[in-house]
Structure formats: structure tokens, C-alpha cells
Amino acid sequence: MRIETTPFRVEPGSGFKLRRHPTRIDPPFKGKKDYKGLLKQHVERLSDLQQRLYAANRHAILLIFQAMDAAGKDGVIRHVMSGVNPQGCQVFSFKHPSALELQHDFLWRTTRDLPERGRIGIFNRSYYEEVLIARVHPEILASESLPDPPHLPDAVWPARYRSIVDLEHHLSTNGTKIIKFFLHLSKDEQRRRFIDRIDDPAKNWKFSTADLEERKYWDQYMTAYEACLGATSTTHAPWYAVPADDKHTARLIVSQVIVEALEALDMSFPHVTPERRAELQDIRRQLAA
């Protein structure tokens, strides 16, 4: 079963509204067994495409995941990328910037970790934090030692959107395919998952009082996400607003999008010339002797 991913793709423009994108849809599978079978197909296809990506050595893939707490980013990454060769994939999680990172522009720390050609890079949170959490908590800007701190913080965001779009366009024209996922979780589902983390001793480590504090800013975060996704979703680096209230559905949508993006690159294994083929056959005869 092929999932239609177009409805989840964010069209560029300031008219983007999260309320038009559901956090839950009818599941694209008939049961748990069907879900596992579909995910297995996606994972196997992704594994094959990764081998072609590495062998061709012409493109890099950058997957960006953003979401509210408990939306399932770690689970999506773990399940969808389970069949990928670890040597060809790297995951980076970005927390609060260090003192050194604060001495540079807001794109510096993530730029250092961009994937090289032939590899898949995953950003679990990213430079987008600088137009999300920094927008909800504008006091963060004061710690960034900007040369001319703005009197009106709102003037910062359009400039940062432009910087991000320019960076992603530059990366795209130089062979990096960027795919961005916003795991769209409802406030009620987040509450249920927080309670589950508290009730289950094995999940206690996942919960922090800081998560509860950030929940108080839910509406401000939704406003920041709407502005961000609308301003930075482009044809070469699209955003996908993935309904995340059901983890299985989210994983299947994400894996389908990634497979489609890799297939669109039309990659193949390097062509072997007649001379090289003759050389290999000669080596084979020597080995078989």
C-alpha cells in the first residue's frame, strides 16, 4: 500500500495554518500485522536506496525533525532508520547552545554537522530552534551577543527565515536533499504521553519538569511553528506536517516521504566500463585458479 504524502506537504506562504492539518487521521493500515509489514517494506527499500546513495556519491540527505515534547521524534528515527547501515548515517541532537556556540552566528553549530555526499544526516531538532524556542522565549536573544540587539524582536525572525532559506537553497544546489518533518501532536495527546511517562517507571527518565513548564507556552509555540513552516517550506526543502497522535501512522508517513525523495534522485550504481569489466574477469580467473 502506497501512502499519498502530498496532503502533508506544507505549501510555501504566510497562509499556512496548523488547524487545517490534523494531528490524527484514519490509519493507513488494517492492523498491527499490516503496519509491521508496511514498515518493513519501507525499511528494506530505504536500505537499498541508501546503498545506491553511498555508491553514487553525488548526493547527501539531510532529514530534519522538529516537534513539541513527547511527539515521538526518537521513535520515528529509530524505527524508520532501523535498516540503514550505521556507517552511512549520523544523528545529531541539538540542545541548549554551549558558550562556544553562542560566540558564533546561529547557523554555525549545525553547519559543522552537515552530511557529506553519499551519507544521510539526521538533525533531531536543528537550527530551526532559533526561530522557535528563541521566539517563544525572546530573552534567549540577549544571550547571543548580537551586534545590534533589536528593540523589536519580531524584526529578527524574517531575517532568520531568509538566512535559513538561503542556506537550504545553497545546500540543495550543491547536492544535499533536505526533507523536514514537523510531528504534529495535539495538546491532549501530549498530556496522555506525559502521564504515561510518570506512571511507567521505565519511562520516568524521559520526563522533566521543564517539559511541563514549556507546555504552558503551547499556543505561542503553535504560532511560532505556523510562521516558521510557512516561511521556510520550499520546493527544494519542503516541510511535512505529519499527524503524530498515532505513532505507527507517523512512522509510515515519514518513511514513505523519505523513500519517495530518494527514488526521485534516480540513483544507480556506478557504470562499469568494458575495460574495467575485463580487468575484473581477469582478476576472477586468477582467484579461481
Side-chain angles (χ1 to χ4, degrees):
M1 176 181 179
R2 193 176 188 89
I3 300 169
E4 177 56 52
T5 60
T6 303
F8 312 113
R9 184 166 176 150
V10 176
E11 295 300 323
S14 58
F16 174 71
K17 298 296 181 184
L18 278 174
R19 67 174 179 271
R20 298 174 187 167
H21 290 259
T23 60
R24 183 182 294 273
I25 61 172
D26 292 336
F29 53 90
K30 297 178 181 179
K32 192 170 184 179
K33 182 178 179 180
D34 188 34
Y35 155 73
K36 289 183 176 180
L38 287 171
L39 184 62
K40 184 174 184 288
Q41 291 176 23
H42 291 178
V43 168
E44 290 176 349
R45 180 59 176 152
L46 181 55
S47 176
D48 174 65
L49 289 165
Q50 185 211 12
Q51 292 183 51
R52 295 171 184 269
L53 174 75
Y54 184 80
N57 197 37
R58 295 180 63 85
H59 299 278
I61 305 296
L62 175 60
L63 308 176
I64 293 177
F65 291 88
Q66 293 285 160
M68 297 295 286
D69 294 317
K73 296 190 307 301
D74 292 345
V76 167
I77 294 169
R78 183 172 66 254
H79 285 82
V80 172
M81 309 306 291
S82 60
V84 171
N85 186 336
Q87 290 183 315
C89 181
Q90 289 179 296
V91 181
F92 296 95
S93 297
F94 297 97
K95 305 295 185 181
H96 190 279
S98 67
L100 173 62
E101 290 166 343
L102 287 171
Q103 295 304 311
H104 293 268
D105 68 273
F106 79 97
L107 292 171
W108 180 77
R109 67 170 178 157
T110 49
T111 302
R112 296 177 300 165
D113 295 324
L114 290 169
E116 60 193 86
R117 288 187 179 88
R119 296 180 180 272
I120 298 174
I122 300 173
F123 284 0
N124 185 346
R125 301 193 188 276
S126 65
Y127 43 81
Y128 280 100
E129 292 291 282
E130 295 291 341
V131 293
L132 294 168
I133 188 171
R135 182 165 182 163
V136 174
H137 299 285
E139 66 274 11
I140 291 175
L141 293 175
S143 67
E144 296 184 354
S145 302
L146 298 175
D148 184 21
H151 298 292
L152 296 174
D154 284 349
V156 173
W157 316 127
R160 289 195 169 185
Y161 295 150
R162 285 195 300 273
S163 294
I164 289 172
V165 169
D166 288 346
L167 169 68
E168 292 178 346
H169 183 264
H170 165 75
L171 293 174
S172 177
T173 57
N174 284 274
T176 298
K177 177 64 179 176
I178 304 168
I179 315 166
K180 302 173 295 193
F181 298 99
F182 168 59
L183 301 187
H184 190 18
L185 185 74
S186 69
K187 193 174 184 180
D188 283 344
E189 181 61 24
Q190 187 196 57
R191 176 181 59 82
R192 284 190 285 270
R193 292 184 187 182
F194 279 172
I195 292 173
D196 182 53
R197 290 180 176 185
I198 294 171
D199 290 346
D200 186 348
K203 295 181 180 179
N204 286 172
W205 65 273
K206 291 185 175 183
F207 186 77
S208 166
T209 53
D211 297 338
L212 187 62
E213 187 64 26
E214 287 301 286
R215 181 175 162 83
K216 297 176 183 178
Y217 298 92
W218 185 275
D219 291 343
Q220 293 93 317
Y221 272 111
M222 294 303 102
T223 297
Y225 270 110
E226 282 188 346
C228 168
L229 270 61
T232 61
S233 190
T234 61
T235 55
H236 54 268
W239 275 105
Y240 288 85
V242 179
D245 280 4
D246 178 68
K247 295 179 180 180
H248 293 168
T249 296
R251 293 165 189 168
L252 288 176
I253 292 172
V254 168
S255 57
Q256 180 72 63
V257 169
I258 298 171
V259 165
E260 289 176 355
L262 284 169
E263 288 177 337
L265 296 177
D266 195 24
M267 298 174 294
S268 60
F269 292 106
H271 176 69
V272 178
T273 65
E275 293 78 13
R276 175 58 174 164
R277 188 172 298 280
E279 180 184 17
L280 290 173
Q281 289 301 315
D282 182 58
I283 293 172
R284 187 185 188 286
R285 283 191 292 270
Q286 294 179 51
L287 290 171

